[in-house]
Amino acid sequence: MVSLNTTQLEGLIGMLFVLGILALLVLPSVFGIVRDRRIDRQLREAEQGPANERGPSENQKSSSRSTVPSTATWYAEGRRSKKLVSS
């Protein structure tokens, strides 16, 4: 078994500490790169279109609810009309 003296032990602890900080700094970047590559892959797949180009399948049901504009759409329409009137 190898016996470490105090100086070697302090050096080992310091090196592990620096490596730990380096890992904490690098990991967010690695996660971001992985996420960007996943999004790029999804965008490429979406550009190619669905594999089945015949349209919706017969098993797929449409929603029975009526489509009502959201509050954000209503607000934006109101703002646009006010802008047109004031100019």
Side-chain angles (χ1 to χ4, degrees):
M1 174 137 185
V2 177
S3 171
L4 297 175
N5 62 25
T6 305
T7 306
Q8 291 173 330
L9 186 60
E10 287 176 356
L12 179 64
I13 291 171
M15 184 176 64
L16 291 175
F17 183 73
V18 168
L19 289 175
I21 290 176
L22 181 65
L24 287 175
L25 291 173
V26 170
L27 279 177
S29 297
V30 171
F31 288 145
I33 290 168
V34 169
R35 181 176 173 264
D36 286 346
R37 294 184 91 182
R38 179 177 45 90
I39 291 171
D40 288 343
R41 179 179 46 81
Q42 290 174 346
L43 287 173
R44 274 194 309 275
E45 290 174 358
E47 284 177 352
Q48 292 173 355
N52 186 0
E53 301 259 345
R54 293 182 302 171
S57 69
E58 296 165 2
N59 295 337
Q60 187 177 6
K61 304 280 186 206
S62 65
S63 174
S64 60
R65 292 187 342 171
S66 65
T67 57
V68 178
S70 68
T71 304
T73 306
W74 173 80
Y75 180 74
E77 288 294 326
R79 301 262 307 165
R80 271 191 228 120
S81 63
K82 287 179 186 175
K83 192 173 188 180
L84 293 173
V85 170
S86 64
S87 55

